[in-house]
Amino acid sequence: MTVGGTERRVTRRRLRTRANLLEAAFSVFAAKGFGHVSIEEVCEAAGYTRGAFYSNFAGLDELFFALYTERAELIAEQVAGALAQDGPDLDVPAAVDRVTEVLLLDRDWLLVKTDFLVHAARDPEVARTLLEHRARLRGAIEDRLARARGHTGLPAVLGDTAGAAHAVVAAYDGVTTRLLLDRDVEGARTWLRQLLTALLTG
């Protein structure tokens, strides 16, 4: 067995351990809330020791942040992919349909995201990173709207493409808040589709 081969096996095992810890933490955070979860509970849910935990994360804050980052990047990729399918013209209703079909509207994720938002509201450093992730999501939307500019009109009330991107994210925030309370995923998708279509077509 070569040293390089051993290192690759250790790396793969560590990546698998990290992924399993994140998956277990997601379930525990969604069920109990970030401020009510201990490292021991995450380890028990994942089937690992505290040593395995600390070989991957310095503490619950770092794990929570990694979990949020993973899901936020997935959402940005979903939106960018759904918007990339048209040519220069942007078929707004069709694009909205694609976005609302693929967009992650998972109530457990929304519970974790809300915990992270509250955590960020009390920690300026976390807040800066959260704003960066939100800017990335808006950037994916703004880039697509900018490429369609001159081919597809937007309502003048939205101003420029940056204003339109802000409005889209605000609509998503509003619909997901409602979903947290009424638990109606299909209703949330329908309402988001109607809201975005009305917003972007005037």
Side-chain angles (χ1 to χ4, degrees):
M1 174 67 67
T2 65
V3 173
T6 302
E7 288 176 349
R8 282 193 294 273
R9 287 182 58 189
V10 170
T11 300
R12 284 198 300 271
R13 184 166 64 246
R14 183 170 182 179
L15 287 173
R16 186 167 58 250
T17 300
R18 180 183 175 88
N20 290 340
L21 283 166
L22 286 170
E23 183 178 354
F26 176 78
S27 299
V28 177
F29 286 144
K32 300 187 69 173
F34 173 66
H36 303 283
V37 172
S38 68
I39 289 174
E40 286 77 12
E41 287 173 301
V42 173
C43 291
E44 182 179 354
Y48 291 115
T49 64
R50 286 173 63 93
F53 179 95
Y54 283 116
S55 70
N56 287 276
F57 303 102
L60 284 177
D61 276 0
E62 184 179 322
L63 181 148
F64 193 48
F65 186 79
L67 182 63
Y68 178 85
T69 299
E70 180 181 80
R71 295 298 173 112
E73 289 180 352
L74 170 62
I75 289 174
E77 289 169 4
Q78 288 175 329
V79 170
L83 291 174
Q85 296 181 32
D86 292 321
D89 292 314
L90 180 62
D91 182 340
V92 172
V96 166
D97 281 346
R98 289 196 302 270
V99 168
T100 53
E101 282 303 316
V102 303
L103 195 57
L104 183 66
L105 284 176
D106 174 72
R107 191 169 180 274
D108 283 348
W109 157 241
L110 296 177
L111 287 168
V112 172
K113 187 181 94 163
T114 301
D115 273 349
F116 194 84
L117 177 62
V118 173
H119 184 49
R122 295 190 173 97
D123 187 323
E125 185 175 346
V126 177
R128 279 194 297 272
T129 304
L130 178 57
L131 288 170
E132 288 172 5
H133 283 294
R134 289 175 65 82
R136 181 181 172 192
L137 177 59
R138 287 197 311 274
I141 299 167
E142 184 179 348
D143 177 67
R144 185 61 190 93
L145 294 175
R147 285 188 285 117
R149 196 162 193 169
H151 301 273
T152 304
L154 291 172
V157 69
L158 295 177
D160 57 11
T161 53
H166 272 278
V168 169
V169 174
Y172 172 71
D173 287 341
V175 169
T176 54
T177 298
R178 170 179 164 173
L179 174 58
L180 276 173
L181 300 176
D182 68 16
R183 302 170 182 255
D184 183 1
V185 175
E186 288 311 308
R189 289 195 190 280
T190 298
W191 177 233
L192 183 60
R193 183 181 297 112
Q194 294 170 344
L195 187 58
L196 292 181
T197 301
L199 184 68
L200 295 175
T201 62

